[in-house]
Amino acid sequence: MDYLIELISEFKYRVVSSLINQYHTGWVTAVPGFTWCFINMFLVGVSSLLVVFLAPVAAGSGIPQIKCYLNGLNIPRLMRCLTMFVKGAGVVLAVSGGLAVGKEGPMIHIGSVVAAGISQGRVMFFRWSLRSLRFFRNDRQKRDFVSAGAAAGVAAAFGAPVGGLLFALEEGASFVYQRLTWTILFASMVSMFVLALLKTLIHTHSFNFTPGGLASFGAFTFLDTFSVSELLLFLVMGAFGGVSGALFVKANALLTQYRQKYVTSKYGKVIEVVLVSFLTTSIGFALIWLVQDCGPVAFTTNPHPLKLMCADNEFNTMSALLFNTPERSLRILFHEPPGTFNVTTLLVFFPVYYIIACFTYGLSVSSGLFIPALLIGASWGRVIGNWMYSTYPETFPRPGKFALIGAAAQLGGVVRMTLSLTVILMEATGNVIVGLPLLMTLVVAKYTGDYLSEGIYDEHIGLSSMALLPWEPDPLSSSKRAYDVMCSPVVYLEPVMHVRALVEQIRENLHHGFPIVEGPVNPPRFSYGTLVGIISSEHLAIILKHRIFLKEDGSPMRSLEYADYDSEYPSYAKLQDVLQDLTEEDLEAHVNLRPYMCEAPYSVPETMTMNRVYHLFRLLGLRHLPVVDSENQVRGMITRKDLCRFRFERIGDQLRVEELTFSKKVKPKHPGVM
Amino acid sequence: MDYLIELISEFKYRVVSSLINQYHTGWVTAVPGFTWCFINMFLVGVSSLLVVFLAPVAAGSGIPQIKCYLNGLNIPRLMRCLTMFVKGAGVVLAVSGGLAVGKEGPMIHIGSVVAAGISQGRVMFFRWSLRSLRFFRNDRQKRDFVSAGAAAGVAAAFGAPVGGLLFALEEGASFVYQRLTWTILFASMVSMFVLALLKTLIHTHSFNFTPGGLASFGAFTFLDTFSVSELLLFLVMGAFGGVSGALFVKANALLTQYRQKYVTSKYGKVIEVVLVSFLTTSIGFALIWLVQDCGPVAFTTNPHPLKLMCADNEFNTMSALLFNTPERSLRILFHEPPGTFNVTTLLVFFPVYYIIACFTYGLSVSSGLFIPALLIGASWGRVIGNWMYSTYPETFPRPGKFALIGAAAQLGGVVRMTLSLTVILMEATGNVIVGLPLLMTLVVAKYTGDYLSEGIYDEHIGLSSMALLPWEPDPLSSSKRAYDVMCSPVVYLEPVMHVRALVEQIRENLHHGFPIVEGPVNPPRFSYGTLVGIISSEHLAIILKHRIFLKEDGSPMRSLEYADYDSEYPSYAKLQDVLQDLTEEDLEAHVNLRPYMCEAPYSVPETMTMNRVYHLFRLLGLRHLPVVDSENQVRGMITRKDLCRFRFERIGDQLRVEELTFSKKVKPKHPGVM
């Protein structure tokens, strides 16, 4: 992908810059502008068409979706091979089409899909399946693989294997155990190794490689000491990044709501993308002409320095920012010597790019947010760096240091990661010493930002009405007990049932799991018999689909084989559909659930406090939990949704508990906060 | 501590080197040798006296003990203030006394004690207590603080905050949740920040500091590319490190068994330490005279280059290794130019120091193993580096690179950490790029080593007969169910009891927790009534100690206040002692346990498979778990020990299950393996 983007961008910039050199006076200056616009709109349009028509789930960075997936929610088609190809092609086209997007977020999604596919040894698209990997075909194993894949994606994107691990732990994996941590780090290391080796092979044809990722920030060898006063300034920058990030999130959320309402047709989405591409390019072109700031060409690493109206040994510095891939612009902001940028150039670039990036995130293209946010931050950070340089040129000879901190602050303010982002950026700069200032900046950015809004991923998850379980229960939730939270009446089954009775019991209540009980049931007294097991809707669907009923003498017609499960995974038949397929004859049969139920389910006494229930749920990765009384009689069921049912607030000494009402339509708006 | 060690060592080396320059021919050369021996023996002797007589638990690095503590075992006096002071003073004296020990392991222990103390807001030694920190006075909170303290110790020792976090996660924390990860990283960062600032203030009196730790390896700026063939060589070095490390562990384990048997008296231990110190110093002195390898004095950073019989512009290179603090020797091995060391010098130094370090670990002094192991590894690594340099001087101009990999391989072979050690060493070198080769080397070293022996910490834990719970159950353990594992008969209590009956019930069975049951009990049929709650031995002891009995009319005499608990924590009265203090009158009273029991305990059905029970135990950090039947009748109890009761082996297609027998004397020898 990196190579393709480089090829396409190189070609594009070569064509446009030769046109600019040809037509640089009078009205014909518009020729290169239109050429540039046209190329970009074409590339971006194709990217958008792919996403909209082939795999809508490939839009955006994929990080919110991965977060939901790892939290235990299933998102259809997220882990499909087709989604991955669309994402890959889409991001190549979008980035080389000059949109304000990065390729790093999508790398994480692609990594996850690869991992999910490898672990299953099966590609749905090609109807291909590998028997020896059957062991991994269950949700938990798959989730672990997906975390490792996401980490490998980060490792490849930023050359940050440890950062990748921490990203997977901070954003994803619900159940952290040691072997998993291990696996994840190993995958990340291999990913970075292969990437670095391939990159070197392509460029230098030798086996001497430098470890690193796609978005290398260049070596920050000049950073070795910090003064305490500098660190204080970094904290202020962190706070500014938090405010600026929160504003970005709020504006983008409003825009997304607007889009959800008015941009609904498929063609509408494509047209919107092309329009944004047109505006991005034409504004960029206009700025390059309008802001005439020239820098010495001698020190620059910019491969396409546009001369325009500058002197012979100078180039247009705005073009370094806008007539370049975003990664390269970032490196230029970090490393070029102090005189390169005029403060005016940066102060014009910052708000313009801010608005463009804000419009871009949420479009129907594959797009990452990391690089644009870093670029915004680096631009205002470099403004501060320039000021510091002009005030104390001796003490602060490198404005790039401030650009780095600004970039971190802005990105932290938008995505609200701290730990993992610190390590990712530390590894991307290749310098351990920046870790401490980065962490301080990011912590301040996070807290300032959190005061004003949620992180962009949580905001988008909220807008798409999905219910994430936070890491820990509300500290006030110990005032509630299992009986306050549980659902009742309970939809229960018996070990041996008449199929008609079973169907009647579950038809209107298609839950994910059903408790299996024995003995007298007395619903008015909230007592549903003794708990003897539990069965998931998937297994029930398989049993009914394969007609595993009893013969008249009570012996089973056939028993369920492992292959029956395996051939279905992960797209089990929907219980709903199976129920409709049952014939009148089937309904008269009996079914014995005992051999297929889980006969020792986790359960909790009804008096257990809610926060202990929550820990059980979260740590063991449960989806439903029977609540029993002291005689092991089922009293209710707790599901993921019930855990988000209450919102606690402490007002003075009073504890106010608000119960949220759920229906299939109305889901919690900000599930991340609970 | 660092400053003190530097002061004392500086003084010592100045005295001895001036003596050497004075008496350098004939028999009087023995004068500086004896002076050196005497100073060292004095320093080390005092260190040993402190440890042996004031705080025996301060011996060694403290890492195995911290590991046990975080696993859920209580080790008396481990977290005391006195232990910390003895550890600190002891390690300063031992390191400046020239023993083959490092100060890094003890830093981890000290960090943990500080954290435990701060979190409790109470220092037992000074009888000082802070009311506002009462919230943290429970085992779980304290354990979290201890993990953070250990991480802060690593951060201070190696300038490795992320490494510290990973160390705490890899070696310690049982229950990893996000907020903990966070807290740990924050503590580590602050720790490194303060250390780096203080170090700079002491040395340069300025606020411009370079982040870094005590054991800085110096900047590896020359490392930027690796070739694939080099990486293959690193793998071989990893394997050698694994073998060499395993040999070290085995030899040290034998020595430790010998010590446990024959060196038991307090004075014996001190004499052993002084003897080892004498041998270390005199062998070192002899080697400096015997191996006459001279290097050019021009490039060295060695502050005390001994000339001895070398030419005027040269110095004795063996003295660079032995007449120096180990940290400085390590830096010299990493960074001095290729010509500095003769292969012979290194080949003599390696086995001698190997044997000395092996004898030293396990002595009754505070001593870390990291630096000696790194030094051993760096010496053989540099041998390889020298060979490579002499064969291909163009391709491998820096033997220090191989010294680094050798050091990592050796340390990895001894301690068997991978993930955390990679990051620790990466941060200590200040170069992100070494991460990949380090990880590859360490993984190979771990697997090679694991094939031959356990890691040194697990070996020592095994030798001291403590039972660690591994992270995950044996994959074969799903063949066992809760009823196979549980203890029965059960020592049960009733909600309201005659004190005499209670005492009779528990006198012979002082467990950590007792289930509270109601209804008919039928021990011959393994049925012990309905589970209604559970009470820990600590709470029971408090109730009995404060005589919370019932009046004749059934109302309680007084109720237990929070202060009653708090004043006892963490040294609850022993249940045993409380029982003996009960008078005849007390025994006639009744006690109502209902208000003080946990009324909604976690419990599992008897048919649950052992690996699910194990996960519940490990993830929720339980110490005892009632097993119930389908009517919620108690059938047995599972404790930590029961989880290690079976050893599984698959021989061909057969599953062999061996039941280990426990008594108070015989505990599992290798609990780490299970």
Side-chain angles (χ1 to χ4, degrees):
Chain A
M1 281 167 52
D2 194 44
Y3 186 61
L4 280 178
I5 291 177
E6 229 169 82
L7 275 187
I8 301 176
S9 306
E10 196 67 14
F11 171 77
K12 187 179 78 177
Y13 291 123
R14 196 161 335 125
V15 167
V16 178
S17 70
S18 74
L19 282 176
I20 289 179
N21 291 334
Q22 213 172 330
Y23 306 99
H24 58 296
T25 42
W27 282 107
V28 284
T29 48
V31 173
F34 276 113
T35 317
W36 190 15
C37 268
F38 176 76
I39 299 177
N40 278 354
M41 280 159 69
F42 173 75
L43 292 171
V44 170
V46 173
S47 163
S48 171
L49 282 171
L50 283 176
V51 169
V52 169
F53 287 95
L54 287 180
V57 78
S61 70
I63 296 180
Q65 286 89 337
I66 300 287
K67 217 173 148 172
C68 286
Y69 182 86
L70 291 176
N71 197 272
L73 296 165
N74 271 326
I75 295 172
R77 310 186 66 80
L78 183 66
M79 292 295 153
R80 292 293 171 82
C81 198
L82 180 66
T83 308
M84 182 182 77
F85 283 121
V86 168
K87 191 122 205 171
V91 81
V92 167
L93 293 168
V95 173
S96 33
L99 271 189
V101 300
K103 59 186 178 294
E104 281 66 21
M107 285 303 295
I108 297 170
H109 185 177
I110 292 173
S112 305
V113 181
V114 171
I118 288 179
S119 73
Q120 306 303 298
R122 166 190 286 180
V123 183
M124 303 291 283
F125 191 66
F126 298 123
R127 304 188 187 290
W128 172 79
S129 171
L130 206 68
R131 262 185 72 83
S132 59
L133 293 178
R134 285 183 309 169
F135 168 64
F136 295 130
R137 281 182 202 141
N138 64 60
D139 279 1
R140 183 164 170 180
Q141 293 282 352
K142 195 170 168 183
R143 250 172 252 290
D144 289 355
F145 271 97
V146 168
S147 339
V154 175
F158 295 97
V162 181
L165 168 67
L166 292 176
F167 174 83
L169 297 186
E170 189 168 337
E171 290 294 313
S174 301
F175 339 113
V176 182
Y177 48 99
Q178 210 188 16
R179 199 168 47 86
L180 177 61
T181 319
W182 240 101
T183 322
I184 294 178
L185 190 79
F186 194 76
S188 311
M189 281 279 180
V190 172
S191 156
M192 185 182 83
F193 174 75
V194 172
L195 179 94
L197 195 59
L198 280 181
K199 252 180 104 174
T200 319
L201 276 178
I202 289 175
H203 289 122
T204 68
H205 306 286
S206 91
F207 281 97
N208 289 312
F209 71 101
T210 305
L214 293 178
S216 166
F217 293 173
F220 277 82
T221 44
F222 58 85
L223 285 177
D224 49 358
T225 58
F226 296 98
S227 71
V228 174
S229 53
E230 217 172 1
L231 290 181
L232 291 177
L233 180 61
F234 292 168
L235 295 185
V236 177
M237 288 174 73
F240 180 76
V243 175
S244 149
L247 208 72
F248 187 95
V249 173
K250 279 284 175 207
N252 188 266
L254 282 178
L255 207 68
T256 306
Q257 279 172 313
Y258 177 84
R259 277 182 186 141
Q260 284 178 341
K261 238 187 233 160
Y262 301 107
V263 190
T264 45
S265 81
K266 290 192 170 185
Y267 287 103
K269 286 177 182 174
V270 177
I271 290 168
E272 192 197 7
V273 173
V274 174
L275 210 69
V276 170
S277 164
F278 172 73
L279 285 175
T280 306
T281 317
S282 50
I283 291 175
F285 191 71
L287 282 186
I288 291 177
W289 277 103
L290 291 176
V291 183
Q292 286 291 353
D293 168 27
C294 299
V297 86
F299 306 116
T300 189
T301 53
N302 190 357
H304 305 290
L306 288 185
K307 205 177 146 278
L308 299 180
M309 295 173 202
C310 293
D312 266 357
N313 56 351
E314 294 189 328
F315 76 107
N316 183 302
T317 53
M318 188 56 99
S319 76
L321 299 176
L322 288 167
F323 194 68
N324 238 331
T325 56
E327 275 97 343
R328 202 171 275 140
S329 310
L330 197 58
R331 267 205 297 280
I332 291 174
L333 280 172
F334 285 162
H335 292 293
E336 303 278 285
T340 312
F341 292 100
N342 205 316
V343 169
T344 329
T345 315
L346 296 169
L347 282 183
V348 171
F349 174 78
F350 162 51
V352 171
Y353 201 77
Y354 190 99
I355 293 167
I356 290 176
C358 191
F359 267 93
T360 308
Y361 191 75
L363 287 181
S364 291
V365 278
S366 309
S367 63
L369 186 64
F370 274 59
I371 296 290
L374 287 172
L375 198 51
I376 294 169
S379 65
W380 63 255
R382 185 140 183 148
V383 170
I384 297 177
N386 274 5
W387 284 334
M388 297 304 286
Y389 172 73
S390 55
T391 327
Y392 312 99
E394 302 281 295
T395 329
F396 303 108
R398 308 293 300 241
K401 188 197 274 188
F402 294 90
L404 176 67
I405 297 294
Q410 178 72 34
L411 181 54
V414 174
V415 299
R416 309 293 157 73
M417 299 192 286
T418 46
L419 178 43
S420 53
L421 200 54
T422 303
V423 179
I424 288 173
L425 295 178
M426 183 175 99
E427 290 184 294
T429 58
N431 194 330
V432 173
I433 284 165
V434 298
L436 182 66
L438 280 180
L439 183 78
M440 292 170 58
T441 314
L442 285 170
V443 168
V444 175
K446 182 193 160 67
Y447 278 102
T448 322
D450 276 352
Y451 192 76
L452 298 168
S453 83
E454 284 187 80
I456 191 140
Y457 299 134
D458 286 328
E459 192 76 40
H460 273 255
I461 291 169
L463 287 174
S464 60
S465 311
M466 287 189 273
L468 283 193
L469 278 191
W471 280 84
E472 295 201 56
D474 192 296
L476 303 175
S477 68
S478 58
S479 63
K480 289 277 164 197
R481 289 174 183 270
Y483 52 71
D484 297 317
V485 181
M486 69 191 188
C487 280
S488 187
V490 172
V491 182
Y492 60 92
L493 300 177
E494 281 160 38
V496 179
M497 274 185 105
H498 199 218
V499 175
R500 187 184 298 277
L502 187 151
V503 171
E504 264 164 27
Q505 190 70 294
I506 63 176
R507 184 182 286 141
E508 299 299 316
N509 303 285
L510 291 165
H511 294 185
H512 277 299
F514 303 97
I516 295 178
V517 301
E518 264 179 347
V521 173
N522 191 351
R525 307 210 53 182
F526 297 108
S527 170
Y528 298 91
T530 307
L531 180 70
V532 294
I534 200 164
I535 195 162
S536 70
S537 64
E538 285 95 357
H539 287 184
L540 199 57
I542 293 178
I543 292 168
L544 293 179
K545 186 179 166 197
H546 291 271
R547 311 284 192 272
I548 312 294
F549 300 143
L550 295 180
K551 287 190 213 150
E552 302 232 325
D553 63 351
S555 66
M557 294 185 194
R558 58 167 283 222
S559 64
L560 213 53
E561 307 287 322
Y562 181 79
D564 294 324
Y565 287 94
D566 186 52
S567 64
E568 302 264 337
Y569 186 83
S571 328
Y572 289 117
K574 289 240 170 71
L575 191 49
Q576 215 169 339
D577 306 336
V578 174
L579 290 185
Q580 281 172 354
D581 288 349
L582 291 176
T583 61
E584 199 55 34
E585 189 187 351
D586 293 333
L587 292 177
E588 289 309 317
H590 279 76
V591 59
N592 182 7
L593 300 175
R594 209 180 272 278
Y596 309 112
M597 72 190 188
C598 164
E599 57 178 334
Y602 294 114
S603 67
V604 291
E606 51 184 343
T607 48
M608 188 174 277
T609 55
M610 186 167 154
N611 52 358
R612 296 184 75 194
V613 173
Y614 195 99
H615 277 126
L616 196 70
F617 236 81
R618 199 74 175 87
L619 289 172
L620 297 174
L622 303 179
R623 288 159 160 250
H624 28 66
L625 185 63
V627 177
V628 295
D629 67 7
S630 63
E631 262 79 46
N632 205 28
Q633 302 279 306
V634 176
R635 302 280 300 234
M637 289 289 282
I638 295 182
T639 61
R640 286 172 64 92
K641 215 182 268 173
D642 299 319
L643 293 181
C644 319
R645 248 176 63 197
F646 295 98
R647 190 195 296 269
F648 299 90
E649 248 175 309
R650 190 184 287 286
I651 301 162
D653 277 357
Q654 296 276 308
L655 178 66
R656 206 168 69 85
V657 181
E658 182 189 340
E659 185 165 353
L660 308 171
T661 44
F662 288 93
S663 72
K664 283 202 173 159
K665 296 282 169 206
V666 187
K667 286 183 181 177
K669 210 187 140 208
H670 295 297
V673 220
M674 184 166 152
Chain B
M1 282 167 52
D2 194 45
Y3 187 60
L4 281 177
I5 292 176
E6 230 170 79
L7 276 186
I8 301 176
S9 306
E10 196 66 17
F11 172 77
K12 188 180 77 175
Y13 290 124
R14 201 169 320 130
V15 168
V16 177
S17 69
S18 75
L19 282 176
I20 289 180
N21 292 335
Q22 214 171 330
Y23 306 99
H24 61 294
T25 42
W27 280 107
V28 284
T29 46
V31 173
F34 276 113
T35 318
W36 190 17
C37 269
F38 176 76
I39 299 178
N40 277 355
M41 280 159 69
F42 173 75
L43 291 170
V44 171
V46 173
S47 163
S48 171
L49 282 171
L50 283 175
V51 168
V52 169
F53 287 94
L54 288 180
V57 77
S61 69
I63 296 179
Q65 287 89 338
I66 300 287
K67 217 174 148 173
C68 287
Y69 182 86
L70 291 176
N71 197 270
L73 295 165
N74 271 326
I75 295 172
R77 310 186 66 81
L78 183 66
M79 292 293 152
R80 291 294 171 80
C81 198
L82 180 66
T83 307
M84 182 182 76
F85 283 121
V86 168
K87 192 120 204 173
V91 82
V92 167
L93 293 168
V95 173
S96 35
L99 272 189
V101 299
K103 57 186 179 296
E104 281 66 21
M107 285 303 296
I108 297 170
H109 185 178
I110 292 173
S112 306
V113 181
V114 171
I118 287 179
S119 73
Q120 306 303 298
R122 168 190 285 181
V123 184
M124 303 291 283
F125 191 68
F126 297 123
R127 303 186 187 290
W128 171 81
S129 170
L130 206 69
R131 264 186 70 82
S132 59
L133 293 180
R134 285 182 311 171
F135 168 65
F136 294 128
R137 280 182 202 140
N138 65 59
D139 279 2
R140 183 167 169 179
Q141 293 282 353
K142 197 169 166 183
R143 249 173 254 287
D144 288 355
F145 271 96
V146 168
S147 338
V154 175
F158 295 98
V162 181
L165 167 67
L166 292 175
F167 174 84
L169 297 186
E170 188 168 340
E171 290 295 311
S174 301
F175 337 113
V176 181
Y177 48 99
Q178 210 188 16
R179 198 167 49 83
L180 177 62
T181 319
W182 238 102
T183 322
I184 294 178
L185 190 80
F186 194 76
S188 309
M189 281 279 179
V190 172
S191 158
M192 185 183 82
F193 174 74
V194 172
L195 179 96
L197 195 59
L198 280 181
K199 253 180 103 172
T200 320
L201 275 178
I202 289 174
H203 288 122
T204 67
H205 306 284
S206 90
F207 280 97
N208 289 314
F209 72 101
T210 306
L214 293 178
S216 166
F217 292 171
F220 277 82
T221 44
F222 58 86
L223 285 178
D224 49 359
T225 58
F226 295 98
S227 70
V228 174
S229 54
E230 217 173 3
L231 290 180
L232 291 178
L233 180 61
F234 292 169
L235 295 185
V236 176
M237 289 174 73
F240 181 75
V243 174
S244 151
L247 208 73
F248 188 96
V249 173
K250 278 285 175 206
N252 189 267
L254 282 178
L255 207 67
T256 307
Q257 279 172 313
Y258 178 85
R259 276 181 187 142
Q260 283 177 342
K261 239 187 231 162
Y262 300 106
V263 189
T264 46
S265 82
K266 292 193 167 183
Y267 288 104
K269 286 178 181 172
V270 177
I271 290 169
E272 192 197 7
V273 173
V274 174
L275 211 68
V276 171
S277 163
F278 172 74
L279 285 176
T280 306
T281 318
S282 50
I283 291 174
F285 192 70
L287 281 187
I288 292 176
W289 277 102
L290 290 176
V291 183
Q292 286 291 352
D293 168 27
C294 300
V297 87
F299 307 115
T300 189
T301 53
N302 189 358
H304 305 289
L306 289 184
K307 203 176 146 280
L308 300 180
M309 295 172 201
C310 293
D312 266 357
N313 56 351
E314 294 189 328
F315 76 109
N316 183 302
T317 51
M318 186 58 99
S319 76
L321 299 176
L322 288 167
F323 194 66
N324 238 331
T325 55
E327 275 97 342
R328 203 170 276 140
S329 310
L330 196 59
R331 267 205 296 280
I332 291 173
L333 280 172
F334 284 163
H335 293 292
E336 303 278 284
T340 313
F341 292 100
N342 206 316
V343 169
T344 328
T345 315
L346 296 169
L347 283 183
V348 170
F349 173 79
F350 162 52
V352 171
Y353 201 78
Y354 189 100
I355 293 166
I356 290 177
C358 191
F359 267 93
T360 308
Y361 191 74
L363 287 180
S364 292
V365 279
S366 310
S367 62
L369 186 63
F370 275 58
I371 295 290
L374 287 171
L375 198 51
I376 295 168
S379 66
W380 62 256
R382 184 140 183 147
V383 170
I384 296 176
N386 275 7
W387 284 334
M388 296 306 285
Y389 172 72
S390 55
T391 326
Y392 312 99
E394 303 280 295
T395 329
F396 304 108
R398 309 292 300 241
K401 186 197 274 188
F402 295 91
L404 177 68
I405 297 294
Q410 179 72 34
L411 181 54
V414 173
V415 300
R416 309 289 158 77
M417 300 191 287
T418 46
L419 177 44
S420 53
L421 200 54
T422 304
V423 179
I424 289 173
L425 295 178
M426 183 175 99
E427 290 185 293
T429 57
N431 196 328
V432 173
I433 285 165
V434 297
L436 181 67
L438 280 180
L439 183 78
M440 291 170 58
T441 314
L442 285 170
V443 168
V444 174
K446 182 192 161 68
Y447 279 101
T448 322
D450 276 352
Y451 192 76
L452 297 168
S453 82
E454 285 188 78
I456 192 143
Y457 299 133
D458 286 329
E459 192 76 40
H460 273 255
I461 291 169
L463 287 173
S464 59
S465 312
M466 288 190 274
L468 284 193
L469 277 192
W471 281 85
E472 294 200 56
D474 193 293
L476 304 175
S477 67
S478 58
S479 63
K480 288 278 163 196
R481 292 176 181 266
Y483 53 71
D484 296 318
V485 181
M486 70 190 187
C487 279
S488 185
V490 172
V491 182
Y492 60 92
L493 300 176
E494 281 159 35
V496 179
M497 272 186 108
H498 199 216
V499 176
R500 187 184 299 278
L502 186 150
V503 172
E504 262 164 30
Q505 189 72 292
I506 65 177
R507 185 183 286 142
E508 300 299 318
N509 301 286
L510 291 166
H511 295 182
H512 278 297
F514 303 97
I516 296 179
V517 301
E518 264 180 345
V521 174
N522 191 352
R525 307 207 52 179
F526 299 108
S527 169
Y528 297 91
T530 306
L531 180 70
V532 294
I534 200 164
I535 195 162
S536 70
S537 65
E538 285 96 356
H539 287 182
L540 198 58
I542 293 177
I543 293 168
L544 294 179
K545 186 180 166 196
H546 291 273
R547 311 284 192 271
I548 312 293
F549 299 145
L550 295 180
K551 288 192 211 148
E552 303 230 326
D553 63 350
S555 65
M557 293 185 192
R558 56 168 284 221
S559 64
L560 214 52
E561 308 286 323
Y562 182 79
D564 292 324
Y565 286 95
D566 186 52
S567 65
E568 303 263 338
Y569 187 83
S571 327
Y572 290 118
K574 288 239 170 70
L575 190 50
Q576 213 169 343
D577 306 336
V578 174
L579 290 186
Q580 280 172 354
D581 289 348
L582 292 176
T583 62
E584 199 55 34
E585 189 185 348
D586 294 332
L587 291 178
E588 290 308 318
H590 279 75
V591 60
N592 180 9
L593 300 176
R594 209 179 273 278
Y596 309 112
M597 72 190 189
C598 163
E599 56 178 332
Y602 295 115
S603 67
V604 291
E606 53 185 343
T607 47
M608 189 175 277
T609 55
M610 186 168 155
N611 52 358
R612 294 184 75 192
V613 174
Y614 195 100
H615 276 128
L616 195 71
F617 236 81
R618 199 74 175 88
L619 289 172
L620 297 174
L622 303 179
R623 287 158 163 254
H624 27 66
L625 184 64
V627 177
V628 295
D629 66 7
S630 63
E631 262 78 48
N632 204 30
Q633 302 279 306
V634 176
R635 301 280 301 230
M637 289 288 283
I638 295 182
T639 61
R640 286 173 63 90
K641 216 181 269 173
D642 298 319
L643 294 181
C644 320
R645 250 175 63 197
F646 295 98
R647 190 196 296 270
F648 299 89
E649 248 175 307
R650 190 185 287 287
I651 301 164
D653 276 356
Q654 295 276 305
L655 178 66
R656 206 169 67 86
V657 181
E658 182 189 341
E659 184 164 355
L660 308 171
T661 44
F662 288 94
S663 72
K664 284 205 170 157
K665 296 282 171 208
V666 188
K667 288 182 179 175
K669 214 190 137 203
H670 295 296
V673 221
M674 184 166 152

